[in-house]
Amino acid sequence: MSDAPAMRELLGEDAPTNWGKWGPDDELGCLNYLDAKEVLRGAQHIRSGDVFTLQIQMGRTDGPGDPLWPGREGIKRKNELDESTWDGEGAPAFPGGLHYADDTAHIFLQGSTQYDALGHVWYDGQLWNGYDARSTVDAMQRASVLPIAEKGIVGRGVLIDIARHRGKQWLDKGETFDHTDLEAAAAAQGVTIEPHDILCVRTGFMKYWYELNDKEKFYEGFCEPGLTYSRELVEWFQQREVPNLVTDTIANEVTYDPNSGVALPLHCALMRNLGVTLTEIAWLDDLADACAEDGRWSFLYVAAPLKVVNGTGAPVNPDRDPLRDRG
Ligand code: UVW
């Protein structure tokens, strides 16, 4: 039995929240900050026509496969129809002789680059905005990914490259950073993290997954690098009104808070309490290289997760900058 404190004890009875801020039925949380004005603010950064798609490849069968939170499985894709269907008897016969291929997939909705629903994690029996955790049973009735997908996420994105800032290819397992490190890296990059920015943070850990090419070693003593909990960090997110945190790690934060041993406290402090949407397993390396090359770290960010009814999350292929700002 772990002697880590309960989530409530770590985060405090008076933990910062945004519950009720957007009404009793809200399911978007801080994405409410991304109004039309924010879309136009993001669009002001359009200069070149470069496009960066930020999803990892889904269902790779070579190398280490897809990176996953322990206990999840990668996509299982299966051909249902292909040319061999027409080898035998009973194949569909279309006038004109049309053949086609179809496939099915069994997927964990969090098994690739993804948006988490605001109801994805909870403690003390309540989800985002105070919804009853029993509303997750059988199907996520409140704060599912659907409202997020219906809205779409568009605004000014900013990329903070912590790995580059620390002179590393990737952060070590369990290596932490906080809001002051984000600010320091931003200053070194010559960019400001502005209110309502979609905050993208690169640790290099996705690159580590593919370069290491060794699942066993990757999961040995599993503890991803990432942001680490403090009250000040949570207040920083609340004051900055960050709508969406996007990282190239499986779970957006250091897996176990090094001070308390609690697993994923920022999921609770940011997602459940503040309504910050989390996006995980993003591929940020190509974008980071391009940003470093031309010294620009802000862009128009566009993402549309799949509209999965009652989904706890949904795969996504976000774009940084359909037309990235190159000045
Ligand atoms: C968990 O919440 C366990 O994982 P993730 O947010 O990475 O989907």
Side-chain angles (χ1 to χ4, degrees), residues 38-102:
E38 293 300 330
V39 175
L40 296 176
R41 187 170 73 90
Q44 282 168 10
H45 294 262
I46 295 172
R47 292 290 184 282
S48 79
D50 295 345
V51 176
F52 293 85
T53 57
L54 305 181
Q55 187 188 12
I56 59 160
Q57 292 178 4
M58 197 172 182
R60 272 179 76 156
T61 48
D62 61 329
D66 299 349
L68 295 159
W69 177 257
R72 291 183 184 145
E73 288 170 4
I75 182 171
K76 289 198 178 76
R77 198 203 57 75
K78 179 171 166 283
N79 272 24
E80 297 293 339
L81 289 178
D82 56 33
E83 180 57 18
S84 69
T85 310
W86 280 268
D87 288 346
E89 300 289 305
F94 291 96
L98 175 80
H99 290 189
Y100 62 96
D102 264 0

Side-chain angles (χ1 to χ4, degrees), residues 69 72 110 114 116 120-121 250-251 264 267 271 280:
W69 177 257
R72 291 183 184 145
Q110 270 91 358
Q114 113 263 169
D116 279 340
H120 174 52
V121 299
I250 297 170
L264 305 184
H267 272 56
M271 184 197 296
E280 295 155 332

Side-chain angles (χ1 to χ4, degrees), residues 133-163:
R134 301 302 300 179
S135 64
T136 63
V137 176
D138 290 333
M140 187 157 274
Q141 301 294 345
R142 303 305 307 257
S144 80
V145 79
L146 185 64
I148 292 174
E150 296 277 12
K151 176 178 169 56
I153 300 96
V154 185
R156 179 189 191 255
V158 64
L159 175 64
I160 305 302
D161 193 338
I162 293 287

Side-chain angles (χ1 to χ4, degrees), residues 117-123 126-128 140 267-268 271-272:
L118 286 184
H120 174 52
V121 299
W122 61 89
Y123 63 95
Q126 283 180 297
L127 321 176
W128 159 247
M140 187 157 274
H267 272 56
C268 293
M271 184 197 296
R272 175 204 187 256

Side-chain angles (χ1 to χ4, degrees), residues 115 153-155 198 299-304 316-322:
Y115 267 75
I153 300 96
V154 185
I198 294 156
F299 36 78
L300 177 67
Y301 175 103
V302 179
V316 68
N317 181 10
D319 290 342
R320 295 312 182 278
D321 232 8

